[in-house]
Amino acid sequence: MTMKLSKNIAALACAAVLALTLSSCSGGAGAAGESGGSGAGAGKKIGLIMLQGDTYFQGIQTGLEEAVKADGGSVTTGLSNNDPATENQVALNMIQAKMDAVLIQPTADEASLATMKAIKDAGITLICYGNCVGATADPANVDGVIQSDNTALGTGTGEAAAKYLKEKVGDTVKLAILNCDVASACKLRKTGFLDALKAAGIKVDVVTDQEAYLTDKATPVAENILTANPDVDVFWASNDGGTAGAVIGTKGSKKPVFGTDISTQIAGFILEADGNLQATTGQDPVGTAKGAYEMAKKVMAGEKLDKHSVELPGIVYDRANPETTNKFLGK
């Protein structure tokens, strides 16, 4: 442990304990002969740092806990709430708890770098599973990267939106955006969405672009946008909370909504007979979590990763093609 790290822990440990309580889910040791209880992950302590507690991150946690429990290990979770200072406190708690590996979705690029370096300096395996760009994806700072292709998440919905708008609205539209730009990944999604519209020949007038990524906050934002801009043609949201808020906030207006991410609620909106959510592109949280854990296991075992950085494709859920949505719901 470095002198700098020791000083950081001494200065912040008490604040970290008070600021955030970490939860742990432990799996019992596997029975003799069971493959789940052997290998690099056997009995390991895995830390999971999440941006927030929405449906996507619930899927991340569930997927990781399933995989780690099968190996007889334990998972300790913490929320950064999109705040670099809180993220640092969570990380210090995990360092003191002597995690074997930490999976992180950083709150920011440069602002998260010191936290990530502290984890690495403590000799802990570090995997970035989303929002990994620039320095936070650099092999010098992180042992592996696995994340959704966030530009493609925006492109998928943008292509579906372009087709709908050409048929229903026209080549020139007024667009309202509910963003989650606090995360770099969301900016990539926005770029993908807008570029897809442009490539299809749609001229876009962005009448407003507001931060709204939690459902309870995004709902009144969407309502207020509609009141202030009754002539807006279409809404787009860059995550699941924003998507749900846009749908609820514009209910009854018949304004088309396009979104990002998938959940049982969002799938229900897609299938609603008189609903206005036209399409969304979803991630695979369980696959992402399990892939990140497999990366961590290889690194802990001293093995070389096949690829340092892996991008996972998204899936488009379109009202025009309900089969994909029904499959998501297990129908």
Side-chain angles (χ1 to χ4, degrees):
M1 182 180 291
T2 66
M3 182 65 69
K4 182 177 179 182
L5 179 60
S6 299
K7 289 179 179 178
N8 283 342
I9 292 176
L12 293 174
C14 291
V17 171
L18 292 172
L20 194 64
T21 301
L22 300 178
S23 63
S24 178
C25 174
S26 299
E34 290 182 351
S35 61
S38 63
K44 298 295 186 182
K45 297 194 295 184
I46 310 298
L48 175 65
I49 302 179
M50 300 175 285
L51 291 182
Q52 57 202 40
D54 64 14
T55 303
Y56 174 73
F57 287 102
Q58 289 168 17
I60 288 285
Q61 181 174 342
T62 297
L64 181 62
E65 288 174 347
E66 287 177 354
V68 175
K69 184 177 180 181
D71 282 343
S74 65
V75 175
T76 297
T77 65
L79 295 177
S80 68
N81 293 315
N82 287 291
D83 177 56
T86 303
E87 177 182 69
N88 181 258
Q89 292 168 356
V90 173
L92 288 176
N93 275 332
M94 291 186 175
I95 291 168
Q96 287 209 313
K98 301 186 185 311
M99 294 293 111
D100 295 293
V102 170
L103 314 184
I104 186 172
Q105 180 154 343
T107 61
D109 304 335
E110 295 301 325
S112 294
L113 196 54
T115 295
M116 295 175 71
K117 286 183 175 179
I119 294 169
K120 287 279 290 174
D121 288 346
I124 297 171
T125 295
L126 181 63
I127 304 296
C128 184
Y129 67 88
N131 207 24
C132 322
V133 295
T136 58
D138 190 326
N141 302 319
V142 66
D143 293 304
V145 172
I146 182 169
Q147 59 187 337
S148 298
D149 183 340
N150 280 286
T151 302
L153 292 180
T155 301
T157 303
E159 290 173 347
K163 182 179 179 181
Y164 174 93
L165 293 170
K166 278 181 172 290
E167 294 176 357
K168 307 286 188 180
V169 180
D171 293 337
T172 301
V173 299
K174 293 184 177 181
L175 170 67
I177 295 176
L178 276 60
N179 74 60
C180 53
D181 285 357
V182 291
S184 300
C186 292
K187 296 177 183 178
L188 295 174
R189 297 172 188 180
K190 186 191 298 183
T191 297
F193 180 78
L194 293 174
D195 283 353
L197 294 182
K198 183 178 179 181
I202 304 288
K203 294 180 181 180
V204 178
D205 174 15
V206 179
V207 296
T208 187
D209 185 351
Q210 299 185 34
E211 181 178 285
Y213 53 84
L214 296 175
T215 303
D216 59 347
K217 294 183 179 180
T219 299
V221 168
E223 291 172 345
N224 292 337
I225 289 173
L226 197 56
T227 299
N229 304 275
D231 59 343
V232 68
D233 295 305
V234 58
F235 284 74
W236 175 73
S238 55
N239 79 322
D240 64 342
T243 300
V247 172
I248 297 168
T250 61
K251 189 173 180 64
S253 70
K254 297 188 178 180
K255 301 289 184 180
V257 174
F258 292 86
T260 314
D261 290 332
I262 189 66
S263 66
T264 301
Q265 181 187 38
I266 290 175
F269 289 147
I270 287 281
L271 296 176
E272 267 184 349
D274 58 348
N276 60 338
L277 180 60
Q278 303 302 320
T280 188
T281 303
Q283 304 179 75
D284 179 6
V286 172
T288 300
K290 290 184 176 180
Y293 176 55
E294 288 301 317
M295 278 185 162
K297 284 168 65 175
K298 279 194 171 185
V299 174
M300 288 187 289
E303 300 176 18
K304 184 180 175 68
L305 297 178
D306 296 332
K307 293 177 67 176
H308 177 265
S309 182
V310 175
E311 288 193 324
L312 303 176
I315 301 170
V316 177
Y317 299 89
D318 194 332
R319 177 176 293 272
N321 298 290
E323 295 83 4
T324 306
T325 306
N326 281 322
K327 183 178 180 181
F328 169 82
L329 293 172
K331 295 182 178 180

